[in-house]
Amino acid sequence: MLALAMVASLAACSSSSSSSSDTTAAETEAATTAAEDGSEEATEAADETEAADSTASDGELITVGFAQVGHESDWRTASTQSCQDVFCEENGYELVFVDCDQDSAAQLDAVRNFIEQDVDYIIIDPIVSTGWDTVLTECEEAGIPVIVIDRTIDDSDNYTAWVGSDFTAEGYAAGEWLNAYAEAKGIEISGILVIEGTTGSSTQLGRTEGFEEIAENYGWTILDSQDGDFTEAGGQEVMESYCQSYSGQFNVVVCQNDNEAFGAMTAMDAAGISYGVDGDVILISFDACTAGLEYVQAGSINADFECNPLAAPFVAEIIEALEAGEEVESTVYMTEHWYVAEEDVLTTITVNGEEQELTYVTDEIIEEQY
Ligand code: AHR
């Protein structure tokens, strides 16, 4: 249905936008000529031009301001690309995109600028989960619907809808997989090191909470848990210090995203520590972007818990429903998979009493991944 809606809006956009821009160009020419003439019609024609301009911008394209977290990871690149692909002129949108570079103050400024620009809709992927109450009230007062994607806002529910992932569930799944895998392979968990994502992001909070709850249930020792800011450099830096401080004390490393795992692998390579299938360290990651899955397939990452970045089509569906005056779902969860490197060890895990499938990574899966 969404595909059909998109095709319909694409067709409507190409025919109406060309006729409106023709009209504007003709009127601009008339106004310019009249003004050069110094005649009375100059003012009238100029006024008409202004009116036509405003009709073209207000009536034709839906303007969407998107305050994106930054560009810290492969996941983020896929999220940005998805939004740019969906909210393009051909689909009837004008996208005002702001990369907030992981700076919360810049993100609040971006949203306030969208209000000043009087965009039709605002999309926020909140860097951190708090500090949103005032600016969301400002959006409401300006009458601009806000759609939150990916990370959650925890100190206000003053927005229209949220589309994203259940990060605590991802943390639970990683923990239960580790327990089942270690049992199946006869591995005793000696010590766990965690490289967290950006402190205060709902992603970091959820994955940490979920995994720590499972660790507590099974009596595992988490030796340390530090912020790697969801970047490869951050992951490498934290892992380098872990290799020095906890040498010989750990056999599990949990990275809260793929890019941190890439950095951790570089640090472990330099320290002469083996990891992955048949390595000394079990390496767990989150995101399951293409490069992450390639490492899973190669056996360097044991398991990768997907976080699906392709929220934009669902957001477009919400906007189209709002445009049509329809009710919208206020909460939309993305579909996600748990990817593993070994086909013959486990096929399912049980999380909170529910059996969940594990997916063995193949070439076809990698080809279709973002
Ligand atoms: O909020 C989603 C997280 O943000 C992804 O796991 C990570 O890669 C990104 O930076």
Side-chain angles (χ1 to χ4, degrees), residues 1 31 35 102 126 128 145 193 325 353:
M1 274 184 70
Q102 304 233 67
V128 291
L193 291 168

Side-chain angles (χ1 to χ4, degrees), residues 270-291:
I273 296 168
S274 64
Y275 48 85
V277 176
D278 301 327
D280 290 333
V281 169
I282 298 169
L283 182 56
I284 296 173
S285 184
F286 293 85
D287 280 1
C289 290
T290 303

Side-chain angles (χ1 to χ4, degrees), residues 71-248:
H71 49 272
E72 72 284 0
S73 62
D74 286 22
W75 189 99
R76 192 63 54 199
T77 306
S79 159
T80 295
Q81 190 61 56
S82 164
C83 277
Q84 287 173 339
D85 288 348
V86 168
F87 298 110
C88 61
E89 273 191 41
E90 290 78 3
N91 288 344
Y93 293 97
E94 184 187 337
L95 179 66
V96 187
F97 176 82
V98 179
D99 175 336
C100 301
D101 202 15
Q102 304 233 67
D103 177 340
S104 294
Q107 194 166 41
L108 293 175
D109 283 349
V111 174
R112 291 197 164 101
N113 281 333
F114 295 153
I115 296 173
E116 258 180 43
Q117 291 166 54
D118 196 24
V119 298
D120 298 313
Y121 295 89
I122 293 175
I123 304 174
I124 301 172
D125 189 331
I127 297 169
V128 291
S129 63
T130 53
W132 288 100
D133 198 25
T134 308
V135 78
L136 288 181
T137 304
E138 291 166 28
C139 293
E140 188 189 34
E141 283 167 1
I144 304 174
V146 173
I147 298 158
V148 179
I149 64 166
D150 171 32
R151 303 178 183 180
T152 53
I153 285 176
D154 296 337
D155 61 352
S156 168
D157 54 7
N158 206 357
Y159 50 86
T160 305
W162 167 83
V163 181
S165 306
D166 184 339
F167 303 119
T168 311
E170 293 171 359
Y172 285 144
E176 290 294 2
W177 172 83
L178 176 59
N179 180 57
Y181 181 77
E183 263 181 29
K185 299 276 269 192
I187 297 169
E188 196 180 322
I189 295 167
S190 59
I192 300 172
L193 291 168
V194 179
I195 305 180
E196 295 183 14
T198 308
T199 302
S201 64
S202 70
T203 321
Q204 172 263 333
L205 294 167
R207 288 176 187 162
T208 303
E209 182 194 324
F211 187 80
E212 283 187 354
E213 202 177 306
I214 304 292
E216 204 182 315
N217 288 349
Y218 292 114
W220 298 334
T221 305
I222 296 181
L223 296 165
D224 212 335
S225 197
Q226 289 182 26
D227 185 350
D229 212 14
F230 283 131
T231 65
E232 183 164 347
Q236 182 174 342
E237 198 185 322
V238 173
M239 196 66 226
E240 280 166 357
S241 97
Y242 282 169
C243 288
Q244 290 197 349
S245 310
Y246 300 102
S247 170

